[in-house]
Amino acid sequence: MTTRNMEDYLETIWNLQHKKGYVKAKDIAERLEVSRPSVSGMIKKLSENSYILYEKYGGIVFTEKGKKLAQEIKRRHSLLVEFLKIIGVSEENAQTDACKLEHDVSPETITSLLGFVDFISLLPESSKWKENFQEYLKKSLLERSSNKKKNYKEKYWGRENKKI
Amino acid sequence: MTTRNMEDYLETIWNLQHKKGYVKAKDIAERLEVSRPSVSGMIKKLSENSYILYEKYGGIVFTEKGKKLAQEIKRRHSLLVEFLKIIGVSEENAQTDACKLEHDVSPETITSLLGFVDFISLLPESSKWKENFQEYLKKSLLERSSNKKKNYKEKYWGRENKKI
DNA sequence: ACAAATAGTTAGGCTTACCTAATAAAGATA
DNA sequence: TATCTTTATTAGGTAAGCCTAACTATTTGT
């Protein structure tokens, strides 16, 4: 099985490959803000599990298996970013959240998210869904930060406590 | 700082408290499918960090700090479940995904999700958003598995739904 | 009240990450 | 070519979790 960490390394390798055209252990360390020995260790692990091929002082390349997994992770990441932006999360936060969430979403949730994103993108211009939603978000944020805070909380916890 | 694991234990304690009225280490072990020594260790840690008060053979109660955190986690969990169900994820999967995702969503994303869920719940009956979306999901699943590509725009976003 | 059942802890080890310090290998340059 | 810089590895240690086996302490039942 692959761990969350292995996935992070694979994704980083993928990104470096597409940004610089080659991948060195040093660059991975920089990107992930981790020591070089840590990278050495993970490279060894990923090699042993046949996700990558590695030559000291040379570079890293994906095996078919590794490429497939890296693409899959990338796909989840992009989907999450796209979704988060639709619901109004900033680009920056969307990126960092996607990095964390991408390891945990089940296939069913991926499918549903994909459906949602597609559905929204198919809305006719005339629907103004996004504008309406954005406006609603802005408004509810304002209200929340001022006087209606209490109201909202009661509503929320009232619902929740019944379930328990 | 609290780790993902500490959060899981706190959430479990919260759930047990509200389901049975008291919390024993043994029950935590069962619920989390973990050995009793593991629970002992975590209880010690949570006590040291003042999230709970614990007495051997007695029970576990939250401190104010612990209660606050547990509620916060619970809040994130419920919100995620609610959202996932809206986009068509099954109850079961929504629960398990929420358990994993709840540790990683940023405050901004929480806010946006909350906005989205509220927004959807405020849609007028006439919009039929959910029905349309559900149907779209079902169809697109079929399409995907039979490798066809077709445009549903017209069918699902005819004039009567412009208000969405 | 005392033995059995239940609950909890300690001891000792495993795994996956991380780190720093020291070392080795390769590449670049004088 | 010899040395210096860069790159990578090894050695040795920490921390958070998990486990089993063995032990202790409490509660319960007769």
Side-chain angles (χ1 to χ4, degrees):
Chain A
M1 257 310 280
T2 78
T3 66
R4 173 183 220 83
N5 247 290
M6 288 163 77
E7 289 189 359
D8 277 336
Y9 276 84
L10 284 174
E11 191 180 4
T12 300
I13 291 168
W14 176 274
N15 286 336
L16 287 170
Q17 179 61 40
H18 285 79
K19 199 181 133 198
K20 310 185 63 169
Y22 61 88
V23 189
K24 295 291 193 79
K26 193 203 85 177
D27 301 315
I28 300 174
E30 260 165 37
R31 184 67 87 95
L32 288 176
E33 293 179 295
V34 123
S35 74
R36 274 171 300 177
S38 296
V39 176
S40 270
M42 184 54 85
I43 282 178
K44 201 178 156 204
K45 187 171 181 178
L46 292 174
S47 295
E48 281 167 2
N49 286 83
S50 300
Y51 289 107
I52 57 173
L53 299 174
Y54 177 58
E55 263 183 277
K56 275 189 191 182
Y57 306 97
I60 295 170
V61 290
F62 283 114
T63 60
E64 262 314 302
K65 179 183 172 189
K67 190 176 162 188
K68 213 170 147 187
L69 181 51
Q71 279 177 332
E72 170 59 28
I73 297 159
K74 222 29 209 170
R75 187 173 83 93
R76 297 202 296 248
H77 180 96
S78 306
L79 175 60
L80 282 166
V81 168
E82 203 176 345
F83 161 70
L84 290 171
K85 282 163 73 178
I86 287 175
I87 64 165
V89 177
S90 67
E91 169 78 35
E92 200 191 331
N93 253 315
Q95 288 293 342
T96 60
D97 274 25
C99 280
K100 298 187 235 143
L101 302 176
E102 70 196 15
H103 306 291
D104 291 320
V105 278
S106 69
E108 190 193 352
T109 293
I110 287 291
T111 303
S112 292
L113 275 175
L114 206 44
F116 176 75
V117 167
D118 284 353
F119 185 69
I120 294 297
S121 77
L122 290 181
L123 291 178
E125 283 311 307
S126 55
S127 89
K128 293 193 176 163
W129 188 90
K130 256 199 134 170
E131 287 88 333
N132 285 340
F133 177 57
Q134 296 296 354
E135 199 176 324
Y136 173 80
L137 256 195
K138 222 186 292 172
K139 228 193 226 172
S140 77
L141 262 179
L142 285 178
E143 286 180 2
R144 213 164 283 154
S145 59
S146 60
N147 54 335
K148 302 231 173 158
K149 192 168 197 169
K150 198 180 159 205
N151 216 354
Y152 142 77
K153 266 201 167 170
E154 272 173 12
K155 181 186 166 198
Y156 194 81
W157 285 106
R159 204 188 314 146
E160 176 52 31
N161 287 332
K162 275 176 207 155
K163 258 192 236 165
I164 301 168
Chain B
M1 257 310 281
T2 78
T3 66
R4 168 181 300 261
N5 249 291
M6 288 162 77
E7 288 189 359
D8 277 335
Y9 276 83
L10 284 174
E11 192 180 3
T12 300
I13 292 168
W14 175 274
N15 287 335
L16 287 170
Q17 179 60 43
H18 285 81
K19 198 179 133 198
K20 309 185 62 171
Y22 61 89
V23 188
K24 295 292 193 78
K26 193 202 83 176
D27 301 315
I28 300 175
E30 260 164 37
R31 183 68 86 96
L32 288 177
E33 294 179 296
V34 122
S35 73
R36 273 170 303 173
S38 295
V39 176
S40 268
M42 185 54 85
I43 282 178
K44 201 178 157 204
K45 187 172 181 177
L46 292 174
S47 294
E48 281 167 2
N49 286 83
S50 299
Y51 289 107
I52 57 173
L53 299 174
Y54 177 58
E55 263 183 278
K56 275 190 191 182
Y57 305 98
I60 295 170
V61 290
F62 284 115
T63 59
E64 262 314 303
K65 178 184 173 189
K67 190 176 162 189
K68 214 170 146 188
L69 181 51
Q71 279 178 332
E72 170 58 28
I73 297 160
K74 218 36 206 166
R75 185 173 85 93
R76 297 200 297 248
H77 180 97
S78 307
L79 174 59
L80 281 165
V81 168
E82 203 175 345
F83 161 71
L84 290 171
K85 282 163 72 178
I86 286 176
I87 64 165
V89 177
S90 67
E91 169 77 35
E92 199 191 331
N93 253 314
Q95 287 293 342
T96 60
D97 274 26
C99 281
K100 299 187 235 144
L101 302 176
E102 70 197 13
H103 306 291
D104 291 320
V105 279
S106 69
E108 191 194 352
T109 294
I110 287 291
T111 304
S112 292
L113 276 176
L114 205 44
F116 176 75
V117 168
D118 283 352
F119 182 71
I120 294 297
S121 77
L122 289 181
L123 289 179
E125 283 309 309
S126 57
S127 90
K128 292 191 177 166
W129 188 91
K130 255 199 132 169
E131 287 87 334
N132 284 337
F133 177 57
Q134 297 296 354
E135 199 174 329
Y136 172 80
L137 255 194
K138 222 185 293 172
K139 296 269 174 175
S140 81
L141 262 178
L142 287 177
E143 290 286 309
R144 214 163 282 153
S145 57
S146 62
N147 217 15
K148 285 180 226 152
K149 192 85 186 188
K150 205 180 168 188
N151 195 346
Y152 281 99
K153 196 166 178 172
E154 249 177 63
K155 178 164 182 190
Y156 291 107
W157 294 106
R159 45 193 161 36
E160 79 274 15
N161 288 322
K162 279 175 194 164
K163 58 190 75 131
I164 207 185

